[in-house]
Amino acid sequence: MKTFLKRIAPITLLIKIKKLVDKVDQLAILIFAKTKITSSLYYFLFNSSFMREHQSVLKGRIKYYESLESIEDSCVLLRRNIHRLEKGLIMRPRRDVFGNAFIGETVSSFKLAIEQDAVKESERTWFIDVLSKYFEVVSSSPEIDAAREVYYRVCSDSKILNQSKSIPYSHKSIPKADISFDQLEMLFKQRRSVRWYEDRDVDVNLIRKAVNIATQAPSACNRQPFKFHTVTNKDLVKKVADCAMGTVGFSHNIKTIIAVVGELSSYPAERDRHVIYIDGALVTMQLMLALETLGLSTCAINWPDIESREKMLDELLGLKKYERTIMLLAVGYADPEGGIPYSQKKDCTDLIKVVK
């Protein structure tokens, strides 16, 4: 009995210390939460949770500005600005002059992309078609005329005009899917969070196929600031899964795991730092549904913002400082006998607030 009491005494003391620390922290929060300045002071003095985000945002901004001089596999500024021109083209009524403030930097970036041969053909075609349509309909201004001259000179030198018609189109021309509401509901209910999988390898080509349609998801200014780091090696899959805190007890059973990673290098300003999470979540939901139609089940795994866990995953995946993990996604063929939590869902009476 004495031995038992000796063992639990340190545990009891730790529990008491933790309760005391929690009470002090709660008191500190009440004091420091009164203003924005004192709130920032609290995190500077007592809590380092946001330090990684601070560095990631700054590293992302550096990478963004570097991308304006050296374009790699895509050009964020061009993707954003071409989409802005698209929105100008569909305005009702459409202005005679629009895009005046950014057309110069857009054409300069386009010229650099062509000179460096730095973008894939489908992206380049989109740039050309939208820019050609823009210069066809927009009226004159000193900025537009200067950009127009540069644009047509680049196209003439490169002989790349009139490739296709990747330009805005009317809603009535969209092909209509032959899917009923009831069928869609069935797919939504079929997709469950699956944690138990058959001992079968996942064909990466199926993941590629699903990603190709999942990327039809909307993203802010069509920047698509995410990548899917797909791991298939059994040992590495478990290591990646174990980086998260919600995989205890089933990480060994996962066949393939995808880290959905956001790229803060897509933005020049701090105001957009959370867009990676919005866009990443939108595309991942479509990816899960697409995989479901291919016979593959998934489980979205929450990613904790804990520095030690971030470091573990960064090392395993070779992530850059401006890349932030949004979530992990387990993928595999569901074990027919594997259990599925019932997970009661809220309905519209809980979730809709009509604002009048």
Side-chain angles (χ1 to χ4, degrees):
M1 185 67 177
K2 288 182 180 180
T3 303
F4 174 73
L5 291 174
K6 285 181 180 180
R7 286 179 179 175
I8 66 169
I11 298 174
T12 304
L13 180 61
L14 287 173
I15 293 172
K16 288 182 177 179
I17 292 173
K18 185 179 184 303
K19 286 183 178 179
L20 178 61
V21 170
D22 287 344
K23 286 184 178 180
V24 171
D25 186 52
Q26 290 173 27
L27 178 61
I29 290 171
L30 289 173
I31 296 170
F32 283 88
K34 293 180 179 180
T35 70
K36 292 178 182 178
I37 294 175
T38 54
S39 296
S40 295
L41 186 60
Y42 167 83
Y43 281 103
F44 177 75
L45 295 174
F46 305 114
N47 192 321
S48 61
S49 295
F50 296 132
M51 285 188 177
R52 172 175 281 263
E53 183 180 47
H54 293 166
Q55 185 184 27
S56 296
V57 169
L58 293 180
K59 289 287 189 180
R61 292 182 66 192
I62 291 171
K63 182 64 176 176
Y64 173 84
Y65 290 121
E66 288 176 351
S67 75
L68 302 183
E69 302 297 329
S70 178
I71 299 172
E72 296 178 358
D73 60 339
S74 185
C75 180
V76 175
L77 183 142
L78 265 178
R79 291 190 66 84
R80 179 192 181 215
N81 284 359
I82 294 297
H83 188 60
R84 293 166 79 185
L85 293 177
E86 285 185 307
K87 290 188 287 186
L89 287 169
I90 66 169
M91 282 297 123
R92 301 170 69 178
R94 186 166 65 203
R95 296 178 181 178
D96 292 334
V97 173
F98 62 94
N100 206 55
F102 60 88
I103 190 59
E105 69 173 12
T106 303
V107 171
S108 294
S109 185
F110 170 76
K111 180 175 181 290
L112 185 64
I114 296 301
E115 290 173 348
Q116 296 183 357
D117 193 21
V119 294
K120 63 195 304 184
E121 185 177 347
S122 59
E123 191 171 63
R124 184 182 65 177
T125 298
W126 175 48
F127 296 158
I128 292 168
D129 289 346
V130 173
L131 282 168
S132 295
K133 184 65 177 178
Y134 169 77
F135 285 122
E136 177 188 322
V137 303
V138 75
S139 297
S140 292
S141 79
E143 294 81 6
I144 291 172
D145 289 345
R148 181 188 279 112
E149 182 181 346
V150 174
Y151 173 68
Y152 283 122
R153 186 168 65 247
V154 171
C155 290
S156 176
D157 292 344
S158 304
K159 298 179 181 179
I160 54 177
L161 279 176
N162 302 318
Q163 293 195 20
S164 71
K165 292 294 178 184
S166 307
I167 56 176
Y169 48 89
S170 64
H171 186 272
K172 66 182 180 182
S173 66
I174 300 174
K176 299 301 185 288
D178 186 22
I179 301 173
S180 69
F181 180 87
D182 290 342
Q183 289 172 322
L184 188 62
E185 182 183 19
M186 187 179 296
L187 176 61
F188 285 4
K189 290 182 176 179
Q190 177 183 317
R191 188 225 59 82
R192 298 291 86 187
S193 294
V194 171
R195 293 170 174 83
W196 304 107
Y197 302 97
E198 292 181 342
D199 189 16
R200 295 169 58 189
D201 292 337
V202 174
D203 185 350
V204 176
N205 287 322
L206 291 178
I207 294 176
R208 292 191 179 102
K209 187 175 182 179
V211 166
N212 277 337
I213 66 167
T215 53
Q216 293 298 318
S219 69
C221 282
N222 200 32
R223 281 175 283 203
Q224 298 186 297
F226 41 72
K227 280 193 169 62
F228 302 100
H229 293 245
T230 304
V231 183
T232 59
N233 176 276
K234 183 177 180 180
D235 293 335
L236 187 55
V237 167
K238 187 178 186 309
K239 289 178 181 178
V240 170
D242 285 340
C243 289
M245 299 177 68
T247 59
V248 176
F250 75 96
S251 63
H252 65 282
N253 183 246
I254 299 172
K255 301 308 169 189
T256 292
I257 197 161
I258 299 173
V260 184
V261 177
E263 298 190 334
L264 285 165
S265 56
S266 297
Y267 314 99
E270 292 84 354
R271 68 188 182 200
D272 292 320
R273 68 188 182 279
H274 293 156
V275 176
I276 57 172
Y277 304 107
I278 299 169
D279 291 351
L282 286 168
V283 73
T284 302
M285 188 69 250
Q286 294 204 166
L287 176 59
M288 287 190 280
L289 291 170
L291 289 169
E292 190 70 33
T293 67
L294 297 173
L296 288 166
S297 295
T298 57
C299 181
I301 301 167
N302 180 46
W303 181 247
D305 190 358
I306 299 173
E307 182 61 21
S308 60
R309 303 278 171 166
E310 297 269 9
K311 285 183 176 178
M312 289 167 60
L313 193 61
D314 283 1
E315 291 177 6
L316 289 172
L317 299 180
L319 300 183
K320 306 290 194 303
K321 291 293 184 182
Y322 55 81
E323 295 178 312
R324 298 220 66 190
T325 302
I326 298 168
M327 69 177 77
L328 301 180
L329 186 67
V331 183
Y333 294 95
D335 180 347
E337 302 302 322
I340 302 292
Y342 180 78
S343 298
Q344 183 273 336
K345 306 300 182 185
K346 296 179 181 180
D347 63 18
C348 62
T349 59
D350 303 305
L351 301 174
I352 294 179
K353 180 180 179 180
V354 178
V355 181
K356 297 182 180 179

